Amino acid sequence: MKPPFRRPGRARVAHEVDDELAFHLDMRTSQLIAQGYPEAAARREAERQFGDMTSVRDACVTMDQSRERVTRRTDMIGELKQDIVFGLRTLRRSPLSSIVVVLTLALGIGANTSIFTLVDAVLLRPLPVPHAERLIAIGDGSRVGGTSFSDAPRGDLISYPLYQAIAPHPELASGLLASGSPGRLDVASESGGEPEHPRGRLVSGNYFSVLGVTAMLGRTFDAREDAGVGSSPVAAISYAYWTRRFHRDSSVIGRSIIVNGSGLTIVGVTPPWFEGEIVGFSNDLWIPLTMTPLVRAHQPLLDNRTAYWLLLMGRLAPGVTPARAGARYDELIRQDLRDHPPGSAGLFTQEVRDTRLFIGSGARGFSRLRGLYQAPLVTLMIGVGLLLLIVCANVANLLMARAVARGREMSVRQALGAARGRLLRQLLTESLLLGLAGAGAGLLLSYWGSRLLLTLAADGTAAIPLALNLDRVVLGFTVLLALLTVLLFGLVPALRGSRVDLAAALRGHARSVTGGRGGRVPLGRILIVAQVALSMVLLLGAGLLVRSLAGVENADTGIDRDHLLIVEVNARGHGYDGERLSHFAQNLSARFAALPGVTSSAFSENGIFSGTESETNLEIPGFTVRNAADTSAAYDQTGPGYVAATGAHLVDGRDFAASDVEHGERVMVINRSMASHYWPGASAVGRIVTFNDTIPVRIVGVVADIRDHDLVTEPVRRFYVPYLQRQFGDPTNLRFELRAAGNPVALANTVRAAIRAEDGTIPINAIDPLTELMRQSIREQRLLTRLAAGFGVMALLLAAIGLYGVMTYAVSRRTGEIGLRGALGAGRGDVIGMVLGDAMKVVGIGVVLGIPASLAATQLLKSQLHGVATGDPVALIAALLVLATTAFVAALLPALRASRVAPIVALSQE
């Protein structure tokens, strides 16, 4: 019998009111007729007595609808409470199954939340300053500690004279701050002692006011700090440094410290929540820009238009849009570069026109991490999203098996009058409870997971200072993810579980109560197909990344990578300059060369995998310049025997010698890329090159290309000039390259002792084997590969568990069939083959669908792959073999169990 038709709520109420009013009108009409009124007159009189029927009807409908809404809301709340209590009781009756579901969901949700926490901290979260959305940034935010000297205009960094030219424009910004180097500082107290090396930043006087930061103790900077060069020897310190170094001593205000040999007075302590405008960089000290000549005495920065080292950030004036301000600052910068060209390059006007200026929102601050980890983090978010889909498929399979087991319960409830919607709501409530429990456990996992990811990202270096807080964004993401997960894994099982075959229930065949025709569960197999296909995507991606990383780690660098020790000392900051710096470098290099186990020693300014780079423009006689990039090349200043000491290959000419000193002939060595670019098919030795406008330099050697800064990109044009000639002024850094006969790590202590013997007070910045520096240079690739491999393994295990569960369930439903086959003469091998064949068909369909999906999805990895194509056959075959082997093992166990079924037992169950 069909259930009675029920109108929608509002229409039903209106219809019932109309019926009620019509009934009362008819009754009044009947009374009037009984009093002697004619029928038509009685009707008119009854309507007159009732008054305005429309108003009465509308008032009644409104009251009834309000009453019904209250009743319905009360009923829904009561039913929800009942569903929650009953759901908890149901889950408690099968604790093992519930725990497995919750832990599986916690794995998927926790992995997603862990990655999203990093995404939020690095890519999304605004600076913790008032109205961060009103900030505009000028400069490449990834070059937070960069310094470049070039005659060509720079768009990634700003010179101090250029900053002074564009800063006074209040119609665009209420203030425009500037900040730049220096990074690590040598800081000591007036009483002496071993210096510390906190992180510092040179900033303009309006730095704190533009950001809206006030001092927690003392004062911040103001216009006094910009009054004149060297006129404000003060510093502000962070709350963390105040706690770590001064133990929160309030008398720190007014105390003097020695920073890079210059005395500064502490004037303020910043609030605990403020660590600077750079994400992933915990700043300890802020020093006025006007103190640059004292803090960085070795480099002329303030009055040098060819020195690009500042990043700018401004707070937009009221009513000014970011687009308008950005366009106007673009005009101002280009106009100043045209009016005051930093050099006299012939293509300067074209260079100004072609220069890309970095102008955009400053809400998220500056960050080197953002450029390094943006692509890996986005890739990982996609990976964990696929992993969550596999988790949902697994849980859906478990819940469908549970729904079949509860078929008799559902049929009885429906027979007693429960509507299908009511059953559906009950099952979804149980899924929601599982989802919320999984989300809660996932949040706990993500707390440790995000910190583990940060440790993996650091890869043995100093911890990355990121605030991994459980803020509203992360919590909201987790809640939304939990709700989406409930829909993904709970809706289909709930629909299946609430669709009850009452006839089958009355016959008592529980296996057929839910789940479709023929005693089969095709949807479970569809989910396994989806799991296999998604696992194929993750496995192929992981395989490609593993092969790419192996290729990068084993790439030919052109130097003796396994026997080099890189040593960096802070000579310039310790007072060594000019001839004194040259003598110190030569003496210490000779001392290193005499150490046991050292076969050769050399020194340089930038060194190998140091993170610092130099670039300049060249003039090549006879070379036709096609664009501005044609005239640029990277360079380094190196000591005698540098090529031999690093194990590089000299292609033509000679290496630098001890005779290449300041007053000798200006010479240079170039790499093969530079030689083939400017003099293809001809010898470059003996050619003359000019840079810095007037200095002619003769090429004396050509060296094979060296990967000395980056393992993943092709070598650039590079040349080397003698460190002792100081062609670009005094070198800013001093690094030594020591070639060891054996393991370079074993030389660390003797090298440290040799430095102390030469100068017992000079700071040692680093002593690292080259292999370690190379490993650190690809840490983002290592992080991505590790996590992708981990996700691939988890996906494989989840797919195996799902396949095992589905095949075990299928075997249990086919017990009678298997028993009958055994009774008719089928052997154990036949049964095993039948079950395995059934399972591998499902896996085969998943693989067929997964291969094209994998090839399409791995296109997203193109930028992360080096030397490996997205369709690499080795990675594809490896993924197929691993997946097939795992699936075979997962299906073999149910097959062996099926082969041991005794025919008499199976038939008796039927």
Side-chain angles (χ1 to χ4, degrees), residues 394-439:
N394 238 14
V395 174
N397 263 330
L398 289 173
L399 293 186
M400 282 195 297
R402 176 184 283 183
V404 171
R406 296 175 63 186
R408 183 72 60 83
E409 171 200 337
M410 293 297 144
S411 64
V412 170
R413 295 179 69 182
Q414 194 173 58
L416 293 175
R420 187 186 177 193
R422 186 71 180 83
L423 298 179
L424 181 65
R425 194 191 316 165
Q426 171 63 53
L427 294 173
L428 283 176
T429 301
E430 294 176 15
S431 297
L432 180 61
L433 292 174
L434 290 171
L436 292 178

Short mmCIF file of all heavy atoms in Angstrom, two decimals, residues 394-439:
data_model
loop_
_atom_site.label_atom_id
_atom_site.label_comp_id
_atom_site.label_asym_id
_atom_site.label_seq_id
_atom_site.Cartn_x
_atom_site.Cartn_y
_atom_site.Cartn_z
N ASN A 394 38.18 3.21 1.47
CA ASN A 394 38.37 2.11 2.42
C ASN A 394 37.28 2.11 3.49
O ASN A 394 36.69 1.07 3.82
CB ASN A 394 39.74 2.26 3.09
CG ASN A 394 40.62 1.06 2.88
OD1 ASN A 394 40.33 0.22 2.04
ND2 ASN A 394 41.68 0.95 3.62
N VAL A 395 37.02 3.29 4.06
CA VAL A 395 36.01 3.38 5.12
C VAL A 395 34.63 3.08 4.54
O VAL A 395 33.80 2.43 5.20
CB VAL A 395 36.05 4.77 5.77
CG1 VAL A 395 34.90 4.94 6.76
CG2 VAL A 395 37.38 4.99 6.47
N ALA A 396 34.36 3.52 3.32
CA ALA A 396 33.06 3.24 2.70
C ALA A 396 32.85 1.74 2.55
O ALA A 396 31.75 1.22 2.78
CB ALA A 396 32.97 3.93 1.34
N ASN A 397 33.91 1.03 2.18
CA ASN A 397 33.81 -0.43 2.08
C ASN A 397 33.48 -1.05 3.43
O ASN A 397 32.65 -1.97 3.54
CB ASN A 397 35.11 -1.01 1.54
CG ASN A 397 35.05 -1.27 0.05
OD1 ASN A 397 33.99 -1.54 -0.49
ND2 ASN A 397 36.18 -1.19 -0.62
N LEU A 398 34.14 -0.57 4.48
CA LEU A 398 33.87 -1.09 5.82
C LEU A 398 32.42 -0.82 6.23
O LEU A 398 31.75 -1.69 6.81
CB LEU A 398 34.83 -0.47 6.83
CG LEU A 398 36.29 -0.92 6.75
CD1 LEU A 398 37.15 -0.08 7.68
CD2 LEU A 398 36.42 -2.39 7.12
N LEU A 399 31.95 0.40 5.96
CA LEU A 399 30.59 0.75 6.36
C LEU A 399 29.55 -0.01 5.54
O LEU A 399 28.46 -0.34 6.05
CB LEU A 399 30.38 2.25 6.22
CG LEU A 399 31.18 3.13 7.18
CD1 LEU A 399 30.76 4.59 7.04
CD2 LEU A 399 31.00 2.68 8.63
N MET A 400 29.85 -0.30 4.28
CA MET A 400 28.89 -1.09 3.49
C MET A 400 28.81 -2.51 4.01
O MET A 400 27.73 -3.11 4.06
CB MET A 400 29.30 -1.07 2.02
CG MET A 400 28.92 0.22 1.31
SD MET A 400 28.98 0.10 -0.47
CE MET A 400 30.71 -0.22 -0.71
N ALA A 401 29.95 -3.07 4.41
CA ALA A 401 29.93 -4.40 5.01
C ALA A 401 29.12 -4.38 6.30
O ALA A 401 28.34 -5.30 6.59
CB ALA A 401 31.36 -4.87 5.28
N ARG A 402 29.28 -3.31 7.07
CA ARG A 402 28.50 -3.19 8.32
C ARG A 402 27.01 -3.03 7.99
O ARG A 402 26.14 -3.58 8.71
CB ARG A 402 29.00 -2.00 9.12
CG ARG A 402 28.20 -1.73 10.38
CD ARG A 402 28.67 -0.49 11.10
NE ARG A 402 29.90 -0.71 11.83
CZ ARG A 402 30.49 0.21 12.59
NH1 ARG A 402 29.94 1.43 12.69
NH2 ARG A 402 31.60 -0.05 13.22
N ALA A 403 26.69 -2.28 6.93
CA ALA A 403 25.28 -2.09 6.56
C ALA A 403 24.63 -3.41 6.17
O ALA A 403 23.47 -3.67 6.52
CB ALA A 403 25.17 -1.09 5.41
N VAL A 404 25.36 -4.26 5.46
CA VAL A 404 24.83 -5.57 5.10
C VAL A 404 24.56 -6.41 6.35
O VAL A 404 23.54 -7.08 6.48
CB VAL A 404 25.79 -6.30 4.15
CG1 VAL A 404 25.36 -7.74 3.94
CG2 VAL A 404 25.85 -5.57 2.82
N ALA A 405 25.53 -6.34 7.29
CA ALA A 405 25.37 -7.10 8.54
C ALA A 405 24.17 -6.60 9.34
O ALA A 405 23.57 -7.36 10.11
CB ALA A 405 26.64 -7.00 9.37
N ARG A 406 23.79 -5.31 9.17
CA ARG A 406 22.67 -4.74 9.92
C ARG A 406 21.38 -4.74 9.09
O ARG A 406 20.43 -4.03 9.41
CB ARG A 406 23.00 -3.32 10.34
CG ARG A 406 24.17 -3.22 11.31
CD ARG A 406 24.53 -1.77 11.58
NE ARG A 406 23.45 -1.06 12.22
CZ ARG A 406 23.47 0.27 12.45
NH1 ARG A 406 24.53 0.98 12.08
NH2 ARG A 406 22.46 0.86 13.04
N GLY A 407 21.35 -5.53 8.02
CA GLY A 407 20.18 -5.54 7.15
C GLY A 407 18.92 -5.95 7.87
O GLY A 407 17.84 -5.37 7.66
N ARG A 408 19.00 -7.00 8.74
CA ARG A 408 17.82 -7.44 9.47
C ARG A 408 17.28 -6.33 10.37
O ARG A 408 16.08 -6.09 10.45
CB ARG A 408 18.18 -8.68 10.30
CG ARG A 408 17.01 -9.29 11.04
CD ARG A 408 16.05 -9.99 10.06
NE ARG A 408 16.72 -11.04 9.35
CZ ARG A 408 16.90 -12.29 9.82
NH1 ARG A 408 16.45 -12.59 11.01
NH2 ARG A 408 17.50 -13.20 9.10
N GLU A 409 18.21 -5.61 11.03
CA GLU A 409 17.80 -4.50 11.90
C GLU A 409 17.06 -3.43 11.11
O GLU A 409 16.00 -2.94 11.53
CB GLU A 409 19.03 -3.90 12.58
CG GLU A 409 18.75 -2.62 13.34
CD GLU A 409 20.01 -1.79 13.58
OE1 GLU A 409 21.13 -2.37 13.56
OE2 GLU A 409 19.88 -0.58 13.78
N MET A 410 17.60 -3.06 9.94
CA MET A 410 16.98 -2.01 9.14
C MET A 410 15.60 -2.44 8.64
O MET A 410 14.65 -1.64 8.59
CB MET A 410 17.88 -1.65 7.96
CG MET A 410 19.19 -1.00 8.37
SD MET A 410 18.91 0.58 9.19
CE MET A 410 20.21 0.55 10.41
N SER A 411 15.46 -3.72 8.26
CA SER A 411 14.18 -4.19 7.76
C SER A 411 13.12 -4.18 8.85
O SER A 411 11.96 -3.82 8.61
CB SER A 411 14.34 -5.60 7.17
OG SER A 411 14.72 -6.52 8.19
N VAL A 412 13.51 -4.57 10.06
CA VAL A 412 12.56 -4.56 11.17
C VAL A 412 12.12 -3.14 11.47
O VAL A 412 10.93 -2.86 11.68
CB VAL A 412 13.20 -5.22 12.41
CG1 VAL A 412 12.31 -5.00 13.64
CG2 VAL A 412 13.41 -6.69 12.17
N ARG A 413 13.05 -2.19 11.47
CA ARG A 413 12.71 -0.80 11.77
C ARG A 413 11.78 -0.23 10.70
O ARG A 413 10.85 0.53 11.00
CB ARG A 413 13.98 0.05 11.89
CG ARG A 413 14.85 -0.36 13.06
CD ARG A 413 16.11 0.47 13.13
NE ARG A 413 15.82 1.85 13.48
CZ ARG A 413 16.73 2.80 13.59
NH1 ARG A 413 18.01 2.50 13.35
NH2 ARG A 413 16.41 4.02 13.91
N GLN A 414 12.06 -0.60 9.44
CA GLN A 414 11.17 -0.11 8.38
C GLN A 414 9.79 -0.77 8.47
O GLN A 414 8.77 -0.13 8.22
CB GLN A 414 11.80 -0.37 7.01
CG GLN A 414 11.12 0.39 5.88
CD GLN A 414 11.84 0.25 4.57
OE1 GLN A 414 12.02 -0.87 4.10
NE2 GLN A 414 12.28 1.36 4.00
N ALA A 415 9.78 -2.05 8.83
CA ALA A 415 8.49 -2.74 8.97
C ALA A 415 7.66 -2.14 10.08
O ALA A 415 6.42 -2.17 10.04
CB ALA A 415 8.74 -4.23 9.22
N LEU A 416 8.31 -1.58 11.09
CA LEU A 416 7.60 -0.97 12.21
C LEU A 416 7.20 0.47 11.92
O LEU A 416 6.69 1.16 12.82
CB LEU A 416 8.48 -1.03 13.47
CG LEU A 416 8.72 -2.43 14.03
CD1 LEU A 416 9.69 -2.38 15.20
CD2 LEU A 416 7.40 -3.06 14.47
N GLY A 417 7.50 0.97 10.71
CA GLY A 417 7.00 2.29 10.33
C GLY A 417 8.06 3.35 10.09
O GLY A 417 7.72 4.49 9.75
N ALA A 418 9.33 3.03 10.26
CA ALA A 418 10.38 4.03 10.04
C ALA A 418 10.50 4.31 8.55
O ALA A 418 10.61 3.39 7.74
CB ALA A 418 11.70 3.53 10.59
N ALA A 419 10.47 5.59 8.18
CA ALA A 419 10.64 5.97 6.78
C ALA A 419 12.10 5.81 6.37
O ALA A 419 13.02 5.81 7.21
CB ALA A 419 10.19 7.41 6.58
N ARG A 420 12.32 5.70 5.08
CA ARG A 420 13.70 5.53 4.61
C ARG A 420 14.55 6.74 4.94
O ARG A 420 15.72 6.63 5.28
CB ARG A 420 13.71 5.29 3.09
CG ARG A 420 15.10 4.93 2.61
CD ARG A 420 15.20 4.83 1.11
NE ARG A 420 16.57 4.56 0.72
CZ ARG A 420 17.04 4.66 -0.53
NH1 ARG A 420 16.22 5.04 -1.50
NH2 ARG A 420 18.30 4.42 -0.78
N GLY A 421 13.95 7.94 4.88
CA GLY A 421 14.70 9.15 5.22
C GLY A 421 15.18 9.13 6.67
O GLY A 421 16.27 9.60 6.99
N ARG A 422 14.31 8.56 7.54
CA ARG A 422 14.69 8.47 8.96
C ARG A 422 15.86 7.51 9.14
O ARG A 422 16.79 7.78 9.91
CB ARG A 422 13.47 7.98 9.76
CG ARG A 422 13.67 7.97 11.26
CD ARG A 422 13.71 9.39 11.80
NE ARG A 422 13.91 9.38 13.24
CZ ARG A 422 15.11 9.26 13.83
NH1 ARG A 422 16.20 9.18 13.09
NH2 ARG A 422 15.22 9.26 15.13
N LEU A 423 15.85 6.39 8.42
CA LEU A 423 16.97 5.44 8.48
C LEU A 423 18.24 6.07 7.91
O LEU A 423 19.34 5.89 8.45
CB LEU A 423 16.63 4.16 7.71
CG LEU A 423 15.44 3.34 8.21
CD1 LEU A 423 15.24 2.11 7.32
CD2 LEU A 423 15.65 2.92 9.65
N LEU A 424 18.06 6.81 6.81
CA LEU A 424 19.21 7.47 6.19
C LEU A 424 19.84 8.46 7.15
O LEU A 424 21.07 8.53 7.28
CB LEU A 424 18.75 8.17 4.90
CG LEU A 424 19.82 8.90 4.09
CD1 LEU A 424 20.84 7.92 3.56
CD2 LEU A 424 19.18 9.67 2.95
N ARG A 425 19.00 9.22 7.85
CA ARG A 425 19.53 10.19 8.80
C ARG A 425 20.27 9.51 9.94
O ARG A 425 21.31 9.98 10.40
CB ARG A 425 18.39 11.05 9.34
CG ARG A 425 18.87 12.29 10.08
CD ARG A 425 17.74 12.97 10.84
NE ARG A 425 16.52 13.06 10.05
CZ ARG A 425 15.34 13.33 10.58
NH1 ARG A 425 15.22 13.51 11.88
NH2 ARG A 425 14.27 13.40 9.82
N GLN A 426 19.75 8.38 10.40
CA GLN A 426 20.42 7.65 11.48
C GLN A 426 21.80 7.17 11.04
O GLN A 426 22.80 7.32 11.76
CB GLN A 426 19.56 6.45 11.88
CG GLN A 426 20.24 5.48 12.85
CD GLN A 426 20.57 6.13 14.17
OE1 GLN A 426 19.70 6.71 14.80
NE2 GLN A 426 21.82 6.07 14.59
N LEU A 427 21.89 6.61 9.84
CA LEU A 427 23.17 6.10 9.35
C LEU A 427 24.16 7.24 9.11
O LEU A 427 25.36 7.10 9.38
CB LEU A 427 22.96 5.29 8.07
CG LEU A 427 22.17 3.98 8.25
CD1 LEU A 427 21.87 3.34 6.90
CD2 LEU A 427 22.93 3.01 9.15
N LEU A 428 23.66 8.38 8.59
CA LEU A 428 24.55 9.52 8.38
C LEU A 428 25.03 10.10 9.70
O LEU A 428 26.16 10.58 9.81
CB LEU A 428 23.83 10.60 7.56
CG LEU A 428 23.71 10.34 6.06
CD1 LEU A 428 22.90 11.44 5.39
CD2 LEU A 428 25.09 10.24 5.42
N THR A 429 24.17 10.04 10.73
CA THR A 429 24.60 10.51 12.05
C THR A 429 25.74 9.64 12.57
O THR A 429 26.71 10.15 13.14
CB THR A 429 23.42 10.48 13.03
OG1 THR A 429 22.38 11.33 12.54
CG2 THR A 429 23.85 10.96 14.41
N GLU A 430 25.63 8.33 12.39
CA GLU A 430 26.72 7.44 12.81
C GLU A 430 28.00 7.77 12.03
O GLU A 430 29.11 7.79 12.61
CB GLU A 430 26.32 5.99 12.59
CG GLU A 430 25.17 5.54 13.48
CD GLU A 430 24.71 4.12 13.18
OE1 GLU A 430 25.47 3.40 12.48
OE2 GLU A 430 23.61 3.73 13.61
N SER A 431 27.86 8.03 10.73
CA SER A 431 29.04 8.41 9.94
C SER A 431 29.62 9.73 10.41
O SER A 431 30.85 9.91 10.46
CB SER A 431 28.67 8.50 8.45
OG SER A 431 28.25 7.26 7.95
N LEU A 432 28.73 10.67 10.78
CA LEU A 432 29.21 11.97 11.27
C LEU A 432 29.98 11.80 12.58
O LEU A 432 31.02 12.45 12.78
CB LEU A 432 28.02 12.91 11.47
CG LEU A 432 28.35 14.31 11.98
CD1 LEU A 432 29.25 15.04 10.99
CD2 LEU A 432 27.08 15.11 12.23
N LEU A 433 29.50 10.93 13.45
CA LEU A 433 30.22 10.68 14.70
C LEU A 433 31.61 10.11 14.41
O LEU A 433 32.60 10.51 15.02
CB LEU A 433 29.42 9.71 15.58
CG LEU A 433 28.11 10.24 16.15
CD1 LEU A 433 27.36 9.14 16.87
CD2 LEU A 433 28.38 11.41 17.10
N LEU A 434 31.67 9.18 13.47
CA LEU A 434 32.98 8.62 13.10
C LEU A 434 33.87 9.69 12.48
O LEU A 434 35.07 9.77 12.78
CB LEU A 434 32.78 7.47 12.10
CG LEU A 434 32.15 6.18 12.65
CD1 LEU A 434 31.82 5.24 11.51
CD2 LEU A 434 33.10 5.51 13.63
N GLY A 435 33.27 10.55 11.62
CA GLY A 435 34.06 11.60 10.99
C GLY A 435 34.60 12.60 11.98
O GLY A 435 35.77 13.02 11.90
N LEU A 436 33.77 13.01 12.94
CA LEU A 436 34.23 13.99 13.94
C LEU A 436 35.28 13.37 14.85
O LEU A 436 36.25 14.04 15.22
CB LEU A 436 33.04 14.48 14.76
CG LEU A 436 32.01 15.34 14.00
CD1 LEU A 436 30.86 15.72 14.90
CD2 LEU A 436 32.68 16.58 13.42
N ALA A 437 35.10 12.10 15.21
CA ALA A 437 36.13 11.44 16.02
C ALA A 437 37.44 11.33 15.23
O ALA A 437 38.53 11.56 15.77
CB ALA A 437 35.64 10.05 16.44
N GLY A 438 37.33 11.00 13.94
CA GLY A 438 38.52 10.95 13.10
C GLY A 438 39.18 12.31 12.96
O GLY A 438 40.41 12.41 12.95
N ALA A 439 38.35 13.37 12.85
CA ALA A 439 38.91 14.72 12.75
C ALA A 439 39.63 15.12 14.03
O ALA A 439 40.70 15.73 13.99
CB ALA A 439 37.81 15.72 12.43
#
